[in-house]
Amino acid sequence: MMTTTVGMEELQEKRKKYIPKGVSNGNLNVANYAKGATITDMDGKEWIDFAGAIGTLNVGHTHPKVTAAVKEQVDKFLHPGFNVMMYDGYINLAEKLCEITPGNFDKQALLLNSGAEAVENAIKVSRKYTGRQAVVSFVRGFHGRTNMTMSMTSKVKPYKFGFGPFAPEVYQAPYPYIYQKPAGLTDDEYVDLTIQNFKDFFVETVAPENVACVVMEPVQGEGGFIIPPKKFVQEVRDFCSEHGIVFVADEIQTGFGRTGKLFAMEHFDVVPDLVMVSKSLAAGLPLSGVVGRKEILDAANPGELGGTYAGSPVACAAALAVIDIIEEEDLLTKSELLGQKLEDKLQELRKKYEFVGDIRRLGSMVAVEIVDNQIDKNPDKARTGAITTYANENGLLLLSAGIKGNVVRFLAPLVTTDVELNKGLDILEDAFHNA
């Protein structure tokens, strides 16, 4: 049944009154129904979704197999609490995650609620296993909004400003950004320089003997979809192995087919010790996990890991369905095809508009940098905001990213149809024209 405009306006007013402004909204309309890559609001207007709940909906909105799995589980029980009485969903999902993540060693999996909680627990077990305290993340990285994960995150505003003090023994290492490399250096020279800077970091800033773990996004998400060269990722992995440091892959945004592989680290021929998963794992239900070497995860004693709602049986049911869907519908192939179509459109726009800078893509994890011009490459945050605002006022859910707020990022569901995609691209083209 349709709800009148007054109903939506009333909800918008209630949102202002009862919900803190610190909870941002890219789109001020109210969802009523969603399917695939289309959301219908309370006025019946359709919105093409290129945001995917910030990368949470790789299998799309309300996939029928996910919905059926959730309904079946809800009829059985909602939450015995795994720490009180076990249930099969948690155990079966843990087994499945151990099977599908990179690495042929013995693994275990810990299930939790959110991406930030997965990061926190990966650090906990790394510290317990190594007996060390220091944590290394990377410049431009984003890992969450808890105190520890804010400490690991680069972007001060809006994520850190005024919220300190932050957790101690957290350090940010250099991470390559080829589009903005210093003038006069070739790509290879710049990568070699960044690798040397990374190694110098462990002389100048923190000793490797004190480091429990290095946490890396294989593609930086909030940082602007920055894709590192394979050589850099492999050097970081080798450095960790040499110094007994746990190498942790933050696959929260990159996992479950987003990059055309099940996990992005597969592109770099690197096997992490621990992998953190969330977002598209459970098609929109809160669920996360830490998966990896058994000896690391098993270092904690009974009662030291877990949480009241960790590993919700309803979310586990959704996640098991998601993993089946990815294989049954060949979403890894679809991811690459979707990403190529997005890239093709952006390349067209780059020829038309001088403000379209670098276009980055791994699978369907796609971004475009908005700059003053293609020579100077100075970030243009205002124009980026104009593009996303126009889109969000005209039928397309679209997000920005980047330390300087000048990147448009695309996280459309992997099941997006050609009709949905073309509708979205038409609005996108209008947004660039009117920016």
Side-chain angles (χ1 to χ4, degrees), residues 130-136 171 198-214 239-246:
T130 62
R132 304 171 182 179
Q133 293 185 336
V135 174
V136 172
Y171 306 91
F198 173 80
K199 293 178 178 179
D200 290 345
F201 170 87
F202 289 92
V203 176
E204 300 163 350
T205 306
V206 60
E209 295 87 351
N210 292 335
V211 177
C213 58
V214 170
F239 185 91
C240 290
S241 298
E242 180 183 350
H243 294 280
I245 299 168
V246 178

Side-chain angles (χ1 to χ4, degrees), residues 115-335:
E117 196 175 359
V119 178
E120 294 260 2
N121 279 271
I123 290 167
K124 281 175 65 174
V125 297
S126 296
R127 285 174 164 171
K128 189 82 171 183
Y129 175 73
T130 62
R132 304 171 182 179
Q133 293 185 336
V135 174
V136 172
S137 57
F138 289 88
V139 171
R140 287 186 312 278
F142 178 88
H143 299 285
R145 301 171 196 260
T146 60
N147 186 265
M148 169 59 79
T149 56
M150 277 193 298
S151 306
M152 300 166 66
T153 292
S154 274
K155 195 171 183 178
V156 176
K157 294 182 179 180
Y159 301 120
K160 302 172 73 168
F161 186 69
F163 295 126
F166 299 108
E169 290 292 315
V170 177
Y171 306 91
Q172 292 178 11
Y175 187 107
Y177 188 0
I178 287 179
Y179 182 61
Q180 295 288 359
K181 72 178 188 291
L185 291 180
T186 66
D187 287 359
D188 288 342
E189 289 170 341
Y190 171 66
V191 173
D192 288 342
L193 176 63
T194 309
I195 290 168
Q196 187 57 55
N197 289 342
F198 173 80
K199 293 178 178 179
D200 290 345
F201 170 87
F202 289 92
V203 176
E204 300 163 350
T205 306
V206 60
E209 295 87 351
N210 292 335
V211 177
C213 58
V214 170
V215 182
M216 173 187 275
E217 297 167 277
V219 178
Q220 291 189 321
E222 176 62 25
F225 286 17
I226 312 299
I227 305 169
K230 181 184 288 190
K231 183 178 181 180
F232 177 80
V233 181
Q234 292 180 341
E235 288 279 357
V236 172
R237 164 75 269 189
D238 290 346
F239 185 91
C240 290
S241 298
E242 180 183 350
H243 294 280
I245 299 168
V246 178
F247 182 58
V248 184
D250 184 338
E251 294 263 15
I252 290 164
Q253 189 167 167
T254 55
F256 300 99
R258 174 51 54 186
T259 67
K261 303 277 189 184
L262 201 53
F263 296 98
M265 276 296 178
E266 297 175 55
H267 289 282
F268 303 97
D269 298 325
V270 161
V271 176
D273 298 309
L274 298 177
V275 176
M276 300 176 301
V277 294
S278 189
K279 286 193 182 283
S280 279
L281 167 62
L285 275 69
L287 185 65
S288 67
V290 183
V291 192
R293 292 186 181 274
K294 180 177 180 178
E295 62 269 26
I296 300 174
L297 279 156
D298 227 12
N301 294 311
E304 293 181 346
L305 303 175
T308 302
Y309 296 107
S312 155
V314 180
C316 288
L320 287 164
V322 164
I323 294 168
D324 286 344
I325 291 163
I326 291 171
E327 182 177 358
E328 291 168 0
E329 300 187 13
D330 195 15
L331 293 192
L332 301 186
T333 299
K334 288 182 180 178
S335 178

Side-chain angles (χ1 to χ4, degrees), residues 49-52 54-55 225 253 258 364-365 399 409-413:
D49 190 355
F50 279 10
I54 319 179
F225 286 17
Q253 189 167 167
R258 174 51 54 186
S364 59
M365 194 167 187
L399 299 172
R409 56 174 160 169
F410 299 87
L411 290 163

Side-chain angles (χ1 to χ4, degrees), residues 38-177:
T38 303
I39 300 177
T40 304
D41 71 17
M42 294 181 71
D43 284 343
K45 182 176 180 179
E46 290 188 346
W47 301 82
I48 303 300
D49 190 355
F50 279 10
I54 319 179
T56 304
L57 298 166
N58 287 357
V59 302
H61 293 273
T62 56
H63 191 290
K65 184 161 185 171
V66 173
T67 301
V70 166
K71 288 178 177 177
E72 181 180 353
Q73 178 57 53
V74 166
D75 285 339
K76 292 169 64 179
F77 53 79
L78 288 176
H79 193 63
F82 193 75
N83 298 111
V84 178
M85 177 174 278
M86 299 190 298
Y87 41 88
D88 61 350
Y90 190 120
I91 296 168
N92 290 334
L93 180 59
E95 178 186 32
K96 181 65 73 171
L97 290 172
C98 289
E99 290 173 352
I100 66 176
T101 47
N104 294 320
F105 38 78
D106 289 340
K107 296 180 201 163
Q108 290 184 334
L110 165 68
L111 300 183
L112 303 150
N113 297 290
S114 69
E117 196 175 359
V119 178
E120 294 260 2
N121 279 271
I123 290 167
K124 281 175 65 174
V125 297
S126 296
R127 285 174 164 171
K128 189 82 171 183
Y129 175 73
T130 62
R132 304 171 182 179
Q133 293 185 336
V135 174
V136 172
S137 57
F138 289 88
V139 171
R140 287 186 312 278
F142 178 88
H143 299 285
R145 301 171 196 260
T146 60
N147 186 265
M148 169 59 79
T149 56
M150 277 193 298
S151 306
M152 300 166 66
T153 292
S154 274
K155 195 171 183 178
V156 176
K157 294 182 179 180
Y159 301 120
K160 302 172 73 168
F161 186 69
F163 295 126
F166 299 108
E169 290 292 315
V170 177
Y171 306 91
Q172 292 178 11
Y175 187 107
Y177 188 0

